[in-house]
Amino acid sequence: MNLRAKSVSVLGAAAVAATTLVALPAGTAHAAYPKCNSSKAIDTSHGTVRQPYYTGTGSRNCVMGVGADNGAVRRLQYVLVHCYNRDIGIDGVYGANTRNAVRYVQQFEGLASQDIDGVYGPLTRKAMKWRTSTGICFRPAV
C-alpha cells in the first residue's frame, strides 16, 4: 500500500470514528450504555410513542449528548418542543440548546441533582413525557 492509500485509509477510519463520538461527562454511569442511533415505536394505551434506541441491541437504554447527530436526536428534540415547550430547533444535532432543554426536563421531572447533566439516558427517558400518535404527552409505563 502506497503512502497516499495509507493516508486515505487512516483518514477514512478517523472520519467513521468521529461520526460516532458523543461528548459525555467523565465518570458518569452513562458510559455503560451504547449511543442512541435511531428511534423505535412503542405501543401504549394512549397511542404509539417513538423513543430513541440503539439498533445494535434494540434497547431503549442508550445515551445521547453533545455531538450526537442523528434521527434519535431529532426524535428527542421533537418531544422537547412539543411536550416541554422548549424553544429549540429540530435539526437532529445535539448541541448546547438541546443539552439545556434536557437539563430543564431533568430538573422539571424531579431527577436527583447529580443526574441533572443535560445528557439523555435511561433515567431521563423514564422520567420524560412523550408525545403519542394521538397528540398527547404522557409518561408511558414501559
Side-chain angles (χ1 to χ4, degrees):
M1 186 182 292
N2 65 34
L3 181 58
R4 182 164 194 222
K6 284 182 183 177
S7 296
V8 170
S9 176
V10 168
L11 288 174
V16 169
T19 62
T20 59
L21 294 178
V22 175
L24 299 176
T28 67
H30 297 301
Y33 296 104
K35 293 167 184 65
C36 307
N37 60 5
S38 190
S39 63
K40 183 177 195 171
I42 309 296
D43 291 325
T44 72
S45 59
H46 295 284
T48 302
V49 298
R50 294 195 68 83
Q51 293 181 333
Y53 87 116
Y54 173 63
T55 56
T57 61
S59 175
R60 290 176 294 136
N61 288 330
C62 56
V63 297
M64 293 185 286
V66 171
D69 181 0
N70 57 41
V73 175
R74 184 179 304 276
R75 174 52 47 185
L76 174 63
Q77 291 169 331
Y78 176 84
V79 172
L80 293 169
V81 168
H82 293 286
C83 292
Y84 290 96
N85 297 317
R86 300 293 88 196
D87 186 19
I88 61 171
I90 301 175
D91 60 3
V93 178
Y94 204 122
N97 290 336
T98 301
R99 180 194 62 224
N100 291 338
V102 169
R103 285 180 62 94
Y104 167 83
V105 170
Q106 291 169 331
Q107 187 172 18
F108 181 82
E109 295 296 355
L111 269 62
S113 60
Q114 71 268 16
D115 296 322
I116 300 173
D117 56 8
V119 175
Y120 172 87
L123 290 175
T124 303
R125 175 183 57 84
K126 291 174 187 173
M128 286 181 68
K129 294 177 183 167
W130 293 87
R131 186 163 173 126
T132 70
S133 56
T134 60
I136 63 167
C137 295
F138 90 112
R139 189 173 299 105
V142 293

